[in-house]
Amino acid sequence: MEDITALQKQLADLKNLNENLSKRCEYLTDFMEKASTPLRSVDNYGKIIWANQAELDLLGYQKQEYIGKNIADIHSDKNIANDIFGRWLINETVQDYPAKLLHKNGSIKHVLISSNVFRQDDKFIHTQCFTRDISSDIIQKHQTESFNFKLRESEARLRLAIDSTELGTWDWNKRHKIIYWSPECRSILGLSQRGRLSFPEFLKRIHEDDRALIDARIYELINASTDGHFDMTFRIFRINDNQCRWIRAQGTVFVGSDNILNRFLGTMLDVTKTKESHEQHARLAAIVESSDDAIVAKTLDGRVITWNDSAEKLFGYTAKEMIGESLLKIIPQDRYNEEESILRKLRAGESVKHFETLRVKKSGEMVDVSLTISPIRDDEGRITGISKIARDITDRKEEEKRKNDFISVVSHELKTPLTSILLYSQLLMKKVNQKQFGDVKQLTQRVETHSRRMNVLIGNYLDMTRIEQGKAEINLEDFELKGLIQEVVSDAELFDSPHTFIINSTGNVNVNADRDKICQVLTNLVSNAVKYSPSGGQIIISCENKDKQVIVSVKDQGMGISAKDQKMLFQRFYRIKDPNRKNISGFGIGLYLVSELLRLHDSSISIESEQGIGSTFFFSLKSSHIGI
């Protein structure tokens, strides 16, 4: 019995030991998987059999892409891969071996590899490889080498500049309080050949807006424990005439073995003209980039050299796509001869302003533009290039077309009732002369109907003109709206139409508005309801009091209006392009006038419409409580 108990205890101990080992194994596996150091295992054939996430992130692979690769596939130098594998085969430990690994995107990762081989019964099982990314160190090293090279190159250029230009030099020995100004330096500073100027006095002549920055830099250099280079641009007041000049001072600070500043040695150059030129260029560049017009410069052979943002917006090509390319890219083939004609005018000293033409966008769409063209001249007055300013005049051209169409339609619309009036008047006179009075009343009504129609057309046109000139006025008064609606409906019923007019109104509805203008609004809405429901149906005019406002609506059972056309419906001269409407008269100002007349009443027009079902137009007016 005791043996069984002892055996059970041993089994329990082994179970606990196994569980602890399992947990430690899970912990170790998790530790390696999530370690920040890139790790991988390679078998005795050089194939990668495991890698942690840090390794995958380093080289940009997914696990399924990386596992199974041969190490030679991830090394940019196959000889390095073979050398490392050869060391593993002879059981040599690899420590900080420099290598270049290939990232998935083709870039190079500079690394140090440390690894050893796990063997079992003296048999190569797999390696444990630790990878340390030193790419940033290598890049920093290359940058440092590049910087040092550029510094040496800069020093060589500086020596050349001193020899070939009027570059001033100066040398301040701080320890002995001696300063040397070269003749060129004295000329820049306005200092006579015998004049004295100490370094502190020099600093006092720096412009007050620049002094704080320069003082801070000088303080930093003076208190440095190593040699340093400086390059500062600032303003200074000349000694002889107190004129403010921009100067650029460059040089080196030398620190002695006791870590104390010994000397300032440098050069000085008057850069006033360069600075002013840069500022002017920056201002011009800002103007060009912020301009709403396309501004383009080209060489005499037509190659684009500048292309601003507005040019990109207008023509669709980016600056990258156009610079260096021929400007003929945006010129229609049938207008190539324009360029040579323009160039001849410029060479003859003529200017080209507001030249209207067509250009072609990247999309192939034609665009109307107005060009202003100027020559670019060098210092000797020779033309070296051409500057063009292109303004998009598409809207203006479309406006002109709409106006021309409008005039044409107005002429037709006015001619139609006028012809009818003339015809009925002649017929009426004939009947009277023949003393046939039976048809006189009917003919007179027809004359009146067409006269009213003509009066409405002329009134709409005149009101549109007044609105555009800002001369439209309203005369507010209190009146009962239902009576006005009945008048409008009575006029509409004079025209032969298959419609039923319904007026919905609860009690007295009184408003404060311009009666004539609201009559015009209702007349246009009811007229449109009749025209665009040619099959007849009901036309319902409703008005009701709501929250100190009167809500008015005109509803028809006509063609309806698409959501796209609804957005443009109240623009001047806008007419819906629809084959079913082409025979319906109108010239696109009725709803524009409705919108503008309501705007004068601090109101607006809105619409609900569904194609094939009909439309309802809404607006509101201020309520009046007269007669209550």
Side-chain angles (χ1 to χ4, degrees), residues 517-526 593-594 597-598 619:
K517 296 291 191 294
I518 299 305
C519 178
Q520 221 173 333
V521 168
L522 289 169
T523 298
N524 273 293
L525 292 178
V526 171
L593 280 175
V594 166
L597 291 175
L598 289 174
F619 64 91

Side-chain angles (χ1 to χ4, degrees), residues 368 393-411 413 461 464 468 567-577 586-589 592:
D368 288 287
I393 57 172
T394 303
D395 291 343
R396 177 164 67 79
K397 287 288 186 180
E398 289 180 354
E399 179 74 7
E400 289 174 358
K401 183 179 182 302
R402 285 196 294 267
K403 281 185 177 181
N404 292 334
D405 292 344
F406 167 73
I407 292 170
S408 175
V409 172
V410 166
S411 300
E413 291 291 321
Y461 178 69
M464 184 192 73
E468 288 183 339
K567 296 177 182 178
M568 311 285 288
L569 199 57
F570 303 103
Q571 292 186 9
R572 185 180 54 172
F573 306 139
Y574 183 77
R575 297 202 67 197
I576 297 173
K577 295 178 180 178
F587 43 88
I589 67 168
Y592 166 74

Side-chain angles (χ1 to χ4, degrees), residues 399-596:
E399 179 74 7
E400 289 174 358
K401 183 179 182 302
R402 285 196 294 267
K403 281 185 177 181
N404 292 334
D405 292 344
F406 167 73
I407 292 170
S408 175
V409 172
V410 166
S411 300
H412 174 74
E413 291 291 321
L414 290 177
K415 186 178 180 180
T416 300
L418 192 59
T419 302
S420 298
I421 291 170
L422 182 60
L423 177 63
Y424 287 127
S425 297
Q426 290 172 344
L427 187 57
L428 182 61
M429 184 173 289
K430 181 179 179 181
K431 293 288 184 182
V432 170
N433 290 335
Q434 294 175 353
K435 296 183 179 182
Q436 297 176 2
F437 301 111
D439 297 328
V440 168
K441 183 178 179 181
Q442 182 182 2
L443 291 172
T444 304
Q445 286 177 339
R446 291 186 178 278
V447 169
E448 182 183 5
T449 298
H450 286 288
S451 297
R452 287 177 181 272
R453 180 183 174 191
M454 191 169 181
N455 187 56
V456 169
L457 290 173
I458 294 172
N460 282 346
Y461 178 69
L462 293 176
D463 279 336
M464 184 192 73
T465 305
R466 291 190 194 100
I467 287 170
E468 288 183 339
Q469 294 174 350
K471 295 179 180 180
E473 297 179 354
I474 58 173
N475 299 307
L476 299 178
E477 60 177 308
D478 295 331
F479 63 91
E480 207 279 316
L481 185 59
K482 185 176 180 181
L484 177 61
I485 293 173
Q486 289 172 336
E487 291 177 19
V488 172
V489 168
S490 295
D491 288 342
E493 287 175 336
L494 291 174
F495 295 91
D496 293 332
S497 70
H499 300 85
T500 301
F501 294 93
I502 299 173
I503 301 174
N504 285 339
S505 174
T506 55
N508 292 327
V509 179
N510 302 297
V511 295
N512 180 256
D514 185 317
R515 196 176 191 280
D516 291 339
K517 296 291 191 294
I518 299 305
C519 178
Q520 221 173 333
V521 168
L522 289 169
T523 298
N524 273 293
L525 292 178
V526 171
S527 174
N528 275 5
V530 171
K531 284 195 296 184
Y532 293 104
S533 52
S535 300
Q538 294 180 339
I539 295 176
I540 304 171
I541 304 98
S542 304
C543 58
E544 62 174 330
N545 289 299
K546 187 176 182 181
D547 299 330
K548 298 181 180 181
Q549 296 281 319
V550 172
I551 308 301
V552 185
S553 64
V554 178
K555 181 178 181 180
D556 65 55
Q557 297 174 327
M559 299 176 177
I561 301 166
S562 70
K564 178 184 176 183
D565 286 316
Q566 288 177 37
K567 296 177 182 178
M568 311 285 288
L569 199 57
F570 303 103
Q571 292 186 9
R572 185 180 54 172
F573 306 139
Y574 183 77
R575 297 202 67 197
I576 297 173
K577 295 178 180 178
D578 182 350
N580 295 325
R581 302 170 191 258
K582 65 180 181 179
N583 294 321
I584 298 176
S585 62
F587 43 88
I589 67 168
L591 289 178
Y592 166 74
L593 280 175
V594 166
S595 175
E596 290 299 308

